[in-house]
Amino acid sequence: MTTDPALHSPAAPSPIVKLNISVRGLYDSWTHCQNLADYIARFAASDRFDPEQLTTRLSTYLNEVLEFVFRARPAEGDIVVAVGRTPEHIVVELAVPTDAALAERLRGDLARATGPDPRAQYAADFHAMLASPPADAGLLELVALHGIGLALREGPAVSTLVLSVPHE
Amino acid sequence: MESELPFSIRFQENDQEVILQGALRPAGPEDFAAVRARLDHAADAVRGVLYLNFKRLRYLNHTGFVELARFIADCQRRHPALRLKLVISSVVPWAPLRFGLLGGQFSNTIVEQYDKAFYPGQGVTETDQLVPVLRTQTNIVWAHERELLRRHGLARGMRVADICCGIGDFAVLVYKEFAPEYIVGVDHSRPFLQYAQQMAREFGITDIEYQYGDATHLFLPSNGFDFVTSRLALQIFNDPASILRELMRVCKPGGRVYLTNEMTAHNYAYPRHESVAWTYEQAVKIAQSLGMDMNFGPKMFSLLTDMGFEDVRMEQIPITTHNTPADDFARVIESWEGYVTGELSAATGQPPEVIERLRTGFRDHVYAIRSRRGFAMWPIYVASGRKPAR
């Protein structure tokens, strides 16, 4: 299942970087999220126009998704991060091992984050969020404030989060 | 890189300012507790306005953002008379989006985009219309600088940073002449940087990095460059010392910071020298009202010395009718005429009679340049200093 494939799920380009991260390894430390996000972002932005700006943006977005996955506590296995480029976007795919319950949860979270008017949704939810931020709040913010395309592609025992980040 | 900057938070009670730097990515409220305690302490300690300075906060996760919003919401309840001023920079790409939202959500919160306030003349200094004059200026000055740079310490294979690089043509010339190990150009004008990138691409150059950045808060590593340049730039800011401190930070110990600036009041032409002198004095005053100091050139020696640079060297590039092609020289002055009587005068509301007199002075300058018996000069001051090794 892909949420709104026509809008949010560009054909996956050939990856320029692909990393396998063990779920257990990721759980070792919360700071792995930012270290991974920084590394992958710097790699993907290295030969682009204004690599520092692109690194900052990519790392910000990727970190948010990695933190979401960290909190989702997927089953044992590997998380696979692949980054590719299209002429208009940088496409980040993050494949997460899932069981039925987690797949269902990701489906629900992604559906909320990619609703019809995410900006209005985020503004409406904002004060309630301060009392108790929902798990998908960071994802909703990516779509609502930062204009990031977000989609979910499901396969057997794996769900893939797809981020489409405009180059500028 | 700046991403290596560890997270820090400090409260400067005198300035009623909390400065947050680095990467703030807490896992949850517990992880944020120490930051929250510092913020609460600051809010308790001040009256009126509390400044929250995020200019160098490069990363903030959504959890951290929500925790900051909670602090603001709690402040509104606990200190109803306290105003929070969030000082941000457009160089951090997520900051205007997130903090702009906070400004709309809380009545006690004002968001100030620092770099817009810091670059008061930016609207008139970054437009595409300036590109031809900047290119001509670089060409004229490069004829002298090519050798002069060596006297100020630039050599082959260095790591070079050109801050306020404008359209990037100086970086290209340095790249060709000095084959640096690495060269980066930073500017706060996206149109200029796009032009720079396009020009580099057309010249088949892929080794120059261009960055959008704020010269007072660079995303460049400390002690990272052998030679740091900032040409004809400090003069357009009302706080050149804050830029020079940043240039010093990114320069390696033992490396050199190299500056050029003008003394516009020293622009001279004969005949019709009185008309020319009036025009440049008036142009200096107009620029001054926008926060620029177009007579900054000779002050560089003092500034470098006061800031602790060693082996400060200073000289002058005398652009004159005797060493510069008349057409190029005249084109520069004609561009100034367009800029000063156009955008600068409009931005400062100059009356028509002043604009006309300004125009006459520029044209008299051009007359002197083109006249068989005229003489004209445009002095540029050059200074460099060595960052102490200690």
Side-chain angles (χ1 to χ4, degrees):
Chain A
M1 172 255 187
T2 301
T3 54
D4 201 350
L7 282 176
H8 297 305
S9 186
S14 304
I16 53 171
V17 56
K18 191 170 185 177
L19 290 181
N20 283 45
I21 305 143
S22 82
V23 168
R24 193 175 297 180
L26 183 71
Y27 287 157
D28 280 348
S29 171
W30 172 255
T31 57
H32 283 340
C33 297
Q34 70 181 50
N35 292 334
L36 281 166
D38 288 351
Y39 173 78
I40 294 167
R42 193 162 289 285
F43 187 104
S46 63
D47 61 343
R48 302 282 94 184
F49 173 59
D50 201 343
E52 288 302 313
Q53 281 274 309
L54 186 54
T55 297
T56 307
R57 290 171 60 229
L58 268 181
S59 175
T60 298
Y61 311 147
L62 189 52
N63 176 69
E64 214 56 61
V65 180
L66 284 164
E67 288 185 2
F68 171 77
V69 171
F70 189 100
R71 291 189 175 110
R73 296 237 149 218
E76 290 289 307
D78 279 2
I79 296 163
V80 182
V81 183
V83 182
R85 294 185 190 124
T86 68
E88 288 81 29
H89 293 89
I90 290 179
V91 180
V92 181
E93 297 200 343
L94 210 137
V96 181
T98 51
D99 55 21
L102 181 57
E104 176 63 29
R105 189 177 147 198
L106 293 181
R107 202 176 301 134
D109 286 349
L110 264 289
R112 274 192 298 280
T114 55
D117 190 347
R119 195 173 178 85
Q121 180 75 45
Y122 186 80
D125 290 355
F126 189 73
H127 283 278
M129 205 183 287
L130 301 190
S132 173
D136 60 341
L139 296 186
L140 175 60
E141 193 224 21
L142 287 184
V143 180
L145 289 194
H146 304 280
I148 303 307
L150 193 58
L152 182 69
R153 192 169 61 237
E154 291 192 66
V158 64
S159 293
T160 303
L161 293 153
V162 183
L163 272 78
S164 306
V165 179
H167 287 298
E168 287 188 53
Chain B
M1 293 297 166
E2 199 72 4
S3 55
E4 295 158 8
L5 192 68
F7 175 73
S8 72
I9 176 169
R10 69 178 194 276
F11 174 42
Q12 293 184 338
E13 194 154 5
N14 272 353
D15 300 325
Q16 300 207 157
E17 183 178 34
V18 179
I19 302 168
L20 298 98
Q21 299 188 84
L24 177 57
R25 287 164 157 170
E30 306 77 23
D31 210 10
F32 189 79
V35 176
R36 176 59 192 261
R38 299 296 293 273
L39 290 169
D40 285 339
H41 167 71
D44 291 342
V46 303
R47 288 183 183 178
V49 178
L50 175 64
Y51 292 87
L52 301 178
N53 178 337
F54 297 106
K55 287 184 280 187
R56 276 188 195 269
L57 188 69
R58 183 170 186 174
Y59 292 116
L60 175 69
N61 65 358
H62 189 256
T63 302
F65 176 59
V66 168
E67 292 303 320
L68 281 171
R70 273 188 182 144
F71 162 73
I72 292 171
D74 290 346
C75 247
Q76 210 165 20
R77 284 191 293 275
R78 291 173 52 222
H79 306 283
L82 185 65
R83 293 284 166 270
L84 300 175
K85 194 164 201 176
L86 315 185
V87 186
I88 65 169
S89 167
S90 70
V91 176
V92 180
W94 51 262
L97 299 167
R98 281 178 170 161
F99 292 123
L101 179 95
L102 291 184
Q105 295 281 339
F106 298 105
S107 59
N108 64 340
T109 301
I110 303 160
V111 180
E112 178 189 281
Q113 197 164 304
Y114 156 83
D115 41 342
K116 277 199 173 158
F118 185 74
Y119 295 75
Q122 181 169 38
V124 291
T125 57
E126 71 172 14
T127 60
D128 287 348
Q129 292 171 23
L130 269 180
V131 169
V133 65
L134 292 174
R135 283 197 65 95
T136 307
Q137 281 189 10
T138 302
N139 289 339
I140 289 176
V141 180
W142 179 254
H144 303 266
E145 265 186 315
R146 189 177 192 159
E147 288 308 315
L148 181 147
L149 280 161
R150 291 184 169 85
R151 292 202 293 278
H152 286 262
L154 182 57
R156 291 177 71 84
M158 285 183 160
R159 288 177 62 82
V160 179
D162 185 27
I163 311 304
C164 305
C165 68
I167 57 172
D169 48 357
F170 177 73
V172 169
L173 291 165
V174 168
Y175 174 84
K176 289 178 175 174
E177 183 76 16
F178 292 93
E181 177 194 303
Y182 170 70
I183 181 165
V184 59
V186 181
D187 203 272
H188 195 264
S189 163
R190 290 188 197 277
F192 283 176
L193 289 171
Q194 280 159 3
Y195 180 89
Q197 185 200 29
Q198 180 191 336
M199 190 174 68
R201 197 188 298 128
E202 283 173 6
F203 291 173
I205 297 169
T206 56
D207 297 341
I208 301 176
E209 183 175 318
Y210 290 108
Q211 279 185 23
Y212 175 64
D214 170 7
T216 62
H217 295 82
L218 294 164
F219 279 123
L220 294 175
S222 298
N223 307 315
F225 295 90
D226 302 290
F227 203 76
V228 181
T229 65
S230 185
R231 300 167 59 263
L232 301 176
L234 266 66
Q235 61 194 28
I236 66 166
F237 298 101
N238 58 10
D239 185 11
S242 66
I243 297 180
L244 189 53
R245 271 192 295 275
E246 192 66 346
L247 303 184
M248 192 177 198
R249 179 185 68 80
V250 303
C251 186
K252 286 179 183 175
R256 293 189 75 87
V257 170
Y258 169 93
L259 311 169
T260 69
N261 285 287
E262 292 166 276
M263 172 81 189
T264 298
H266 282 180
N267 290 347
Y268 183 78
Y270 188 88
R272 304 180 183 178
H273 57 284
E274 286 172 355
S275 160
V276 172
W278 183 89
T279 282
Y280 285 110
E281 279 167 18
Q282 193 65 26
V284 167
K285 288 178 190 166
I286 293 171
Q288 206 163 23
S289 69
L290 288 171
M292 309 179 196
D293 180 0
M294 300 306 291
N295 286 341
F296 184 70
K299 302 169 188 170
M300 292 187 292
F301 189 87
S302 298
L303 191 61
L304 286 163
T305 304
D306 292 348
M307 207 156 276
F309 283 93
E310 299 171 341
D311 185 26
V312 177
R313 301 171 192 170
M314 183 135 175
E315 58 187 296
Q316 195 190 65
I317 300 175
I319 307 292
T320 73
T321 39
H322 284 216
N323 62 19
T324 304
D327 283 346
D328 286 350
F329 197 172
R331 203 177 307 133
V332 169
I333 308 304
E334 284 160 357
S335 307
W336 291 352
E337 178 195 331
Y339 174 55
V340 174
T341 63
E343 293 160 89
L344 267 190
S345 290
T348 53
Q350 297 302 312
E353 61 274 17
V354 170
I355 295 174
E356 195 47 44
R357 200 171 165 193
L358 285 164
R359 199 186 310 279
T360 301
F362 284 118
R363 289 181 181 175
D364 287 342
H365 197 169
V366 171
Y367 172 81
I369 291 167
R370 294 199 184 280
S371 167
R372 187 176 55 82
R373 48 188 292 279
F375 176 79
M377 64 181 287
W378 166 35
I380 296 172
Y381 290 81
V382 178
S384 72
R386 186 177 66 223
K387 180 175 174 177
R390 62 182 177 278

